[in-house]
Amino acid sequence: SLSGQITGYELTPQAVKQDAYASETRLKITVRVNFTNSTNSEEDFEKLYSAYRDFSNEQMITDVQDQLIQEICDEIADLIYNDTVAKW
């Protein structure tokens, strides 16, 4: 079985310019996953997965949020898939 929860949703400034303002912001999402293998308990694990995307400060988070969240979730799903289903 596979269960998980979002444990982090962070916006942090990146690429600080000379005027002390950031030219980019990073959106990072972290998910805690619990995996239980019903046929081999040695493969059970709890693990944190995270991914991020940077965007220009010329853009509003509300304008890019949906696309960034989709890209981040796709990447995290791939990581989880590789650690679980791809091993079978």
Side-chain angles (χ1 to χ4, degrees):
S1 73
L2 192 63
S3 64
Q5 63 210 40
I6 297 171
T7 59
Y9 183 97
E10 304 170 54
L11 290 169
T12 54
Q14 303 293 309
V16 177
K17 303 182 298 184
Q18 290 178 349
D19 60 5
Y21 290 102
S23 61
E24 291 184 333
T25 298
R26 175 168 292 170
L27 172 60
K28 178 181 175 184
I29 297 175
T30 304
V31 176
R32 172 178 282 122
V33 171
N34 294 297
F35 175 70
T36 304
N37 184 328
S38 61
T39 59
N40 184 358
S41 62
E42 291 181 14
E43 293 184 358
D44 295 356
F45 66 82
E46 179 178 313
K47 185 174 178 180
L48 291 175
Y49 293 89
S50 64
Y52 65 86
R53 294 291 183 275
D54 295 337
F55 63 96
S56 169
N57 278 0
E58 294 176 8
Q59 299 171 298
M60 297 292 295
I61 183 64
T62 53
D63 294 336
V64 296
Q65 179 174 278
D66 290 346
Q67 176 186 346
L68 297 177
I69 289 173
Q70 184 63 54
E71 291 174 12
I72 291 169
C73 288
D74 288 348
E75 182 176 335
I76 291 173
D78 285 345
L79 293 170
I80 295 167
Y81 178 87
N82 289 335
D83 283 351
T84 56
V85 179
K87 288 184 173 185
W88 296 343

